[in-house]
Amino acid sequence: MTSNVINEQSTQDAHDDGHHDHKMTGLKRWLYTTNHKDIGSMYLWFSFIMFLTGGVMALVIRAELFQPGLQIVEPDFFNQMTTVHGLIMVFGAIMPAFTGLANWMLPMMVGAPDMALPRLNNWSFWILPFAFAILLSTFFLESGAPNFGWTFYAPLSTTYSNGSTAFFVFAVHIMGISSIMGAINIVVTIMNMRAPGMTYMKMPLFVWTFFITAYLLIAVMPVLAGTVTMVLTDTYFGTSFFDAAGGGDPVMFQHIFWFFGHPEVYIMILPAFGIVSTTIPAFSRKKLFGYSSMVYATASIAFLSFIVWAHHMFTTGMPLFGELFFMYCTMLIAVPTGVKVFNWAATMWRGAISFETPMLFSIAFVILFTIGGFSGLMLAMTPVDFQYHDTYFVVAHFHYVLVTGALFSIFAGAYYWLPKWTGYMYNDTLSKWHFWCSLVSVNLLFFPMHFLGLAGMPRRIPDYALQFADFNKWVSIGGFAFGLSQLIFLVLVIKCIKGGKKAEAKPWDGAEGLEWTVPSPAPYHTFETPPKID
């Protein structure tokens, strides 16, 4: 009798331990939570706040460039804006947003009850706000915020830096620790917690892209840590890693930084491939075309990303053989990327497409990301890059990849899963307004930059010659329009959380077997092929 009572009590205790998240309320719940959905939500909200913060900095930049001459800010503050804007958008907006999506959806897609390391998951989120608090606090220092560009090239970040370098280094270290812990969690969850019968080649492509991205993070984040540590010791401890006077080499900084930096840009785009590979089949009512080729293409891109770093350095005076090697390897990346674009188009081909907002963002992603890919192919050519290097052409290229690429895919994923997350359908009219306003303004913002760059306008300079005035005016108008468009999304999400029309079990009419409604293990493909009509 007694043993039965003890067993019942211990069972109850275990049950209580497993569900302690739901007993805590208010701030305590969010501070101590180990629930993957709560942590995913916190990542997503944090990334959106950082997105708006970095966006305000971009608007300061665009306000200054609205017309020639210095009107609003001093050149040094202008450079602080460009630096912190880049750091916040890369480490504070895009990467945490993808980590948030991974936290929310990965356990459900592989049939796991939660992430494998829940407490580590909590920690990896909660150190992020402190990292960005440290970075943003530099604006209140007498010397000002970092002003050496988000790539912090030596000697700008060492010999000529202002007093904020130590804060910058500390903040980057914490961001890197957070990324590594999040990546380890993703790898362990996917490898050890898949549902029975779910082999690697049966995993949804969303899972595959995050799996590969996590390996990239684990490989390159320590390289960034080493780089910023060398910058720190060069600045404050008398070492000469990047100082030629002491036997160092400033070009070595670029090699080490871009060995991190190039895989990093793929860390910011591979998860986007996974999201659109989920949404396009759903709204085409077809299974994804060429699943295995998509997996191999993703792995190929990840591998090639490690051997193309010096294409950022064609103008540093490397030997001709080096230039040829990096040029050809860079062009080679176009092949697996082309496979992906072809497969997305083939998935949509003869599909019963419905143009819901997630599908609109996904189609815009495919088209506009491809434009970014083509301009990247132009920059891959060494003699051409000599002309385009450090002009607005480069700015246009990477913003097409990261805004109309990574950011649009995040919006596609958010709209696709919002009914799942909140239990309510979002306001369809507002979502369409958000899409069309974003689409028009983002192209007005970034497309003219190609022409500015081809005409020779240098980046990161607060003033410019009169011949660039007209294009810059339109670019700035596009920038403010794009920024204001994102407030529509904020209103829409808040309205959706508060309530509205209840979401059905399968909210997308006719899209059978969405990943988060199928029982584990998931089928080989997500959607049934429509029957042939004779």
Side-chain angles (χ1 to χ4, degrees):
M1 177 70 184
T2 312
S3 63
N4 285 347
V5 171
I6 292 168
N7 286 340
E8 282 174 21
Q9 184 58 49
S10 59
T11 307
Q12 186 59 43
D13 290 345
H15 186 269
D16 289 347
D17 281 353
H19 292 82
H20 71 283
D21 281 352
H22 303 295
K23 293 172 72 174
M24 288 190 284
T25 53
L27 185 63
K28 216 171 178 185
R29 170 191 163 185
W30 298 101
L31 278 173
Y32 297 145
T33 182
T34 53
N35 181 315
H36 71 100
K37 298 177 183 179
D38 284 352
I39 294 169
S41 299
M42 289 196 295
Y43 265 115
L44 290 166
W45 273 113
F46 174 77
S47 74
F48 193 68
I49 292 163
M50 286 292 106
F51 173 57
L52 295 180
T53 309
V56 168
M57 294 177 187
L59 295 185
V60 173
I61 295 165
R62 285 319 320 171
E64 178 57 58
L65 294 171
F66 186 76
Q67 61 187 43
L70 296 174
Q71 302 94 34
I72 298 171
V73 295
E74 293 298 309
D76 185 55
F77 189 73
F78 182 89
N79 286 336
Q80 292 175 33
M81 286 285 108
T82 55
T83 302
V84 182
H85 163 74
L87 289 167
I88 282 182
M89 289 307 202
V90 170
F91 296 106
I94 299 295
M95 289 169 68
F98 282 138
T99 311
L101 288 168
N103 264 299
W104 245 108
M105 302 313 302
L106 270 179
M108 291 192 262
M109 286 188 177
V110 299
D114 202 305
M115 296 295 276
L117 307 162
R119 287 173 192 268
L120 191 77
N121 207 10
N122 174 292
W123 191 31
S124 71
F125 170 75
W126 274 113
I127 61 175
L128 268 185
F130 292 96
F132 285 92
I134 291 165
L135 182 63
L136 290 168
S137 70
T138 56
F139 283 109
F140 302 103
L141 295 178
E142 194 179 340
S143 58
N147 60 357
F148 33 69
W150 84 271
T151 50
F152 58 99
Y153 277 12
L156 294 176
S157 57
T158 53
T159 310
Y160 302 108
S161 72
N162 57 26
S164 61
T165 302
F167 287 80
F168 158 78
V169 169
F170 189 37
V172 169
H173 267 303
I174 299 174
M175 296 170 206
I177 292 166
S178 168
S179 294
I180 289 172
M181 291 196 297
I184 289 170
N185 216 339
I186 288 170
V187 169
V188 176
T189 304
I190 293 171
M191 291 188 79
N192 293 336
M193 300 184 72
R194 299 193 309 284
M198 184 184 274
T199 61
Y200 283 112
M201 293 310 278
K202 286 181 182 174
M203 298 194 307
L205 207 73
F206 180 92
V207 178
W208 258 115
T209 54
F210 276 90
F211 193 37
I212 290 167
T213 303
Y215 273 111
L216 285 179
L217 274 166
I218 293 165
V220 302
M221 277 300 168
V223 179
L224 176 66
T227 317
V228 293
T229 305
M230 286 192 271
V231 164
L232 187 79
T233 57
D234 268 18
T235 311
Y236 298 104
F237 296 101
T239 57
S240 302
F241 291 112
F242 308 128
D243 183 4
D249 184 1
V251 176
M252 181 176 78
F253 172 89
Q254 294 189 34
H255 278 291
I256 301 169
F257 175 82
W258 285 117
F259 191 77
F260 147 79
H262 199 78
E264 165 65 22
V265 298
Y266 289 96
I267 286 163
M268 290 189 283
I269 201 66
L270 289 182
F273 295 164
I275 294 167
V276 295
S277 298
T278 305
T279 51
I280 287 177
F283 296 102
S284 302
R285 315 294 190 259
K286 285 173 65 185
K287 70 169 186 174
L288 181 71
F289 181 90
Y291 169 87
S292 55
S293 66
M294 290 291 250
V295 172
Y296 293 127
T298 310
S300 308
I301 291 169
F303 169 73
L304 288 168
S305 73
F306 281 101
I307 55 170
V308 294
W309 77 91
H311 68 206
H312 297 268
M313 301 170 50
F314 284 146
T315 58
T316 56
M318 69 175 79
L320 182 63
F321 176 80
E323 288 177 347
L324 288 171
F325 172 83
F326 287 108
M327 178 171 81
Y328 292 140
C329 283
T330 305
M331 289 184 158
L332 208 55
I333 290 190
V335 178
T337 312
V339 168
K340 285 183 167 295
V341 174
F342 174 80
N343 284 4
W344 291 322
T347 304
M348 289 185 274
W349 178 253
R350 298 191 67 183
I353 297 177
S354 62
F355 295 99
E356 313 279 354
T357 310
M359 186 60 163
L360 292 175
F361 272 107
S362 300
I363 294 170
F365 166 90
V366 173
I367 296 166
L368 298 173
F369 168 75
T370 304
I371 292 174
F374 280 135
S375 59
L377 210 50
M378 293 168 69
L379 289 164
M381 293 186 279
T382 312
V384 178
D385 183 73
F386 271 62
Q387 306 301 316
Y388 303 156
H389 190 78
D390 265 346
T391 69
Y392 266 85
F393 190 86
V394 179
V395 180
H397 156 69
F398 67 72
H399 281 89
Y400 261 89
V401 174
L402 292 180
V403 178
T404 64
L407 184 65
F408 270 30
S409 78
I410 291 165
F411 284 142
Y415 280 117
Y416 184 56
W417 286 307
L418 257 177
K420 162 67 186 167
W421 296 340
T422 64
Y424 300 107
M425 289 303 289
Y426 54 78
N427 184 312
D428 196 50
T429 310
L430 272 182
S431 71
K432 295 285 201 293
W433 269 101
H434 176 226
F435 170 73
W436 289 109
C437 290
S438 296
L439 182 72
V440 173
S441 57
V442 82
N443 283 291
L444 183 60
L445 167 58
F446 295 122
F447 203 78
M449 285 186 185
H450 291 104
F451 306 131
L452 288 168
L454 293 173
M457 180 175 166
R459 60 194 278 210
R460 293 184 184 169
I461 308 288
D463 195 10
Y464 54 87
L466 197 59
Q467 71 260 32
F468 303 128
D470 287 351
F471 273 139
N472 268 297
K473 186 161 68 177
W474 285 110
V475 168
S476 290
I477 290 168
F480 277 87
F482 184 71
L484 292 170
S485 302
Q486 306 322 307
L487 298 179
I488 303 173
F489 182 65
L490 179 62
V491 170
L492 177 143
V493 172
I494 292 169
K495 277 171 71 91
C496 188
I497 290 168
K498 283 188 168 179
K501 183 188 162 195
K502 281 269 190 205
E504 297 169 21
K506 295 180 180 176
W508 308 114
D509 182 38
E512 292 295 325
L514 290 168
E515 260 106 349
W516 38 269
T517 62
V518 297
S520 297
Y524 175 64
H525 56 76
T526 343
F527 302 98
E528 294 300 320
T529 310
K532 286 186 179 175
I533 300 167
D534 292 329

Short mmCIF file of all heavy atoms in Angstrom, two decimals, residues 52-62 80-86 88 136 139:
data_model
loop_
_atom_site.label_atom_id
_atom_site.label_comp_id
_atom_site.label_asym_id
_atom_site.label_seq_id
_atom_site.Cartn_x
_atom_site.Cartn_y
_atom_site.Cartn_z
N LEU A 52 13.72 46.49 -36.05
CA LEU A 52 13.24 47.88 -36.03
C LEU A 52 14.35 48.84 -35.58
O LEU A 52 14.49 49.94 -36.10
CB LEU A 52 12.02 48.01 -35.12
CG LEU A 52 10.76 47.25 -35.57
CD1 LEU A 52 9.62 47.45 -34.58
CD2 LEU A 52 10.31 47.67 -36.97
N THR A 53 15.17 48.38 -34.61
CA THR A 53 16.28 49.22 -34.13
C THR A 53 17.30 49.46 -35.24
O THR A 53 17.70 50.60 -35.51
CB THR A 53 16.98 48.54 -32.93
OG1 THR A 53 16.01 48.18 -31.97
CG2 THR A 53 18.02 49.45 -32.30
N GLY A 54 17.72 48.37 -35.90
CA GLY A 54 18.65 48.51 -37.02
C GLY A 54 18.04 49.30 -38.16
O GLY A 54 18.73 50.04 -38.88
N GLY A 55 16.72 49.16 -38.34
CA GLY A 55 16.03 49.89 -39.39
C GLY A 55 16.05 51.39 -39.16
O GLY A 55 16.23 52.18 -40.10
N VAL A 56 15.90 51.81 -37.91
CA VAL A 56 15.97 53.24 -37.58
C VAL A 56 17.35 53.78 -37.94
O VAL A 56 17.48 54.90 -38.48
CB VAL A 56 15.66 53.46 -36.08
CG1 VAL A 56 16.02 54.89 -35.64
CG2 VAL A 56 14.19 53.18 -35.80
N MET A 57 18.39 52.98 -37.68
CA MET A 57 19.76 53.41 -38.06
C MET A 57 19.89 53.55 -39.57
O MET A 57 20.51 54.49 -40.07
CB MET A 57 20.78 52.42 -37.50
CG MET A 57 20.83 52.42 -36.00
SD MET A 57 21.95 51.19 -35.35
CE MET A 57 21.57 51.33 -33.61
N ALA A 58 19.29 52.62 -40.30
CA ALA A 58 19.32 52.70 -41.76
C ALA A 58 18.61 53.97 -42.23
O ALA A 58 19.05 54.60 -43.21
CB ALA A 58 18.65 51.46 -42.37
N LEU A 59 17.54 54.34 -41.54
CA LEU A 59 16.81 55.55 -41.94
C LEU A 59 17.62 56.81 -41.65
O LEU A 59 17.52 57.79 -42.39
CB LEU A 59 15.45 55.60 -41.24
CG LEU A 59 14.47 54.48 -41.62
CD1 LEU A 59 13.11 54.70 -40.96
CD2 LEU A 59 14.31 54.36 -43.13
N VAL A 60 18.44 56.79 -40.60
CA VAL A 60 19.36 57.91 -40.36
C VAL A 60 20.34 58.02 -41.52
O VAL A 60 20.61 59.12 -42.05
CB VAL A 60 20.11 57.73 -39.02
CG1 VAL A 60 21.19 58.79 -38.85
CG2 VAL A 60 19.14 57.77 -37.85
N ILE A 61 20.87 56.88 -41.96
CA ILE A 61 21.80 56.85 -43.10
C ILE A 61 21.13 57.41 -44.35
O ILE A 61 21.67 58.26 -45.06
CB ILE A 61 22.29 55.39 -43.36
CG1 ILE A 61 23.12 54.88 -42.18
CG2 ILE A 61 23.08 55.31 -44.66
CD1 ILE A 61 23.34 53.37 -42.17
N ARG A 62 19.89 56.93 -44.63
CA ARG A 62 19.20 57.36 -45.84
C ARG A 62 18.77 58.82 -45.77
O ARG A 62 18.73 59.52 -46.78
CB ARG A 62 17.97 56.48 -46.10
CG ARG A 62 18.22 55.09 -46.62
CD ARG A 62 19.28 54.91 -47.66
NE ARG A 62 19.37 55.92 -48.71
CZ ARG A 62 20.36 56.00 -49.59
NH1 ARG A 62 21.34 55.12 -49.56
NH2 ARG A 62 20.37 56.93 -50.51
N GLN A 80 29.34 55.38 -37.51
CA GLN A 80 28.83 54.59 -36.37
C GLN A 80 27.49 53.95 -36.75
O GLN A 80 27.23 52.79 -36.43
CB GLN A 80 28.65 55.49 -35.15
CG GLN A 80 29.96 55.99 -34.55
CD GLN A 80 29.73 56.96 -33.41
OE1 GLN A 80 28.77 56.86 -32.67
NE2 GLN A 80 30.64 57.92 -33.26
N MET A 81 26.66 54.72 -37.45
CA MET A 81 25.36 54.20 -37.87
C MET A 81 25.53 53.00 -38.82
O MET A 81 24.86 51.97 -38.66
CB MET A 81 24.54 55.29 -38.58
CG MET A 81 23.96 56.34 -37.68
SD MET A 81 22.53 55.76 -36.76
CE MET A 81 23.18 55.63 -35.13
N THR A 82 26.40 53.13 -39.81
CA THR A 82 26.58 52.03 -40.78
C THR A 82 27.12 50.79 -40.08
O THR A 82 26.70 49.67 -40.38
CB THR A 82 27.53 52.44 -41.93
OG1 THR A 82 28.77 52.88 -41.40
CG2 THR A 82 26.93 53.53 -42.79
N THR A 83 28.03 50.99 -39.13
CA THR A 83 28.63 49.85 -38.41
C THR A 83 27.60 49.11 -37.59
O THR A 83 27.42 47.89 -37.71
CB THR A 83 29.77 50.35 -37.50
OG1 THR A 83 30.74 51.03 -38.28
CG2 THR A 83 30.42 49.18 -36.77
N VAL A 84 26.90 49.85 -36.71
CA VAL A 84 25.98 49.20 -35.77
C VAL A 84 24.74 48.68 -36.51
O VAL A 84 24.19 47.64 -36.16
CB VAL A 84 25.62 50.15 -34.61
CG1 VAL A 84 24.71 49.45 -33.61
CG2 VAL A 84 26.89 50.63 -33.91
N HIS A 85 24.32 49.38 -37.58
CA HIS A 85 23.21 48.88 -38.41
C HIS A 85 23.56 47.49 -38.94
O HIS A 85 22.75 46.55 -38.84
CB HIS A 85 22.95 49.83 -39.59
CG HIS A 85 22.15 49.22 -40.70
ND1 HIS A 85 20.80 48.98 -40.61
CD2 HIS A 85 22.52 48.78 -41.94
CE1 HIS A 85 20.36 48.43 -41.74
NE2 HIS A 85 21.39 48.29 -42.55
N GLY A 86 24.76 47.34 -39.50
CA GLY A 86 25.16 46.04 -40.05
C GLY A 86 25.23 44.96 -38.98
O GLY A 86 24.71 43.86 -39.17
N ILE A 88 23.72 44.81 -36.05
CA ILE A 88 22.40 44.48 -35.50
C ILE A 88 21.60 43.65 -36.49
O ILE A 88 20.95 42.68 -36.11
CB ILE A 88 21.66 45.78 -35.10
CG1 ILE A 88 22.22 46.27 -33.77
CG2 ILE A 88 20.16 45.55 -35.00
CD1 ILE A 88 21.54 47.51 -33.24
N LEU A 136 24.85 48.54 -27.85
CA LEU A 136 24.12 49.81 -27.99
C LEU A 136 24.55 50.82 -26.93
O LEU A 136 24.41 52.03 -27.13
CB LEU A 136 22.61 49.56 -27.91
CG LEU A 136 22.02 48.82 -29.12
CD1 LEU A 136 20.60 48.35 -28.85
CD2 LEU A 136 22.06 49.70 -30.36
N PHE A 139 26.87 53.96 -27.67
CA PHE A 139 26.42 55.28 -28.14
C PHE A 139 26.48 56.32 -27.00
O PHE A 139 26.50 57.51 -27.27
CB PHE A 139 25.00 55.20 -28.69
CG PHE A 139 24.93 54.61 -30.06
CD1 PHE A 139 24.40 53.34 -30.28
CD2 PHE A 139 25.42 55.31 -31.16
CE1 PHE A 139 24.34 52.80 -31.55
CE2 PHE A 139 25.37 54.78 -32.44
CZ PHE A 139 24.83 53.52 -32.64
#
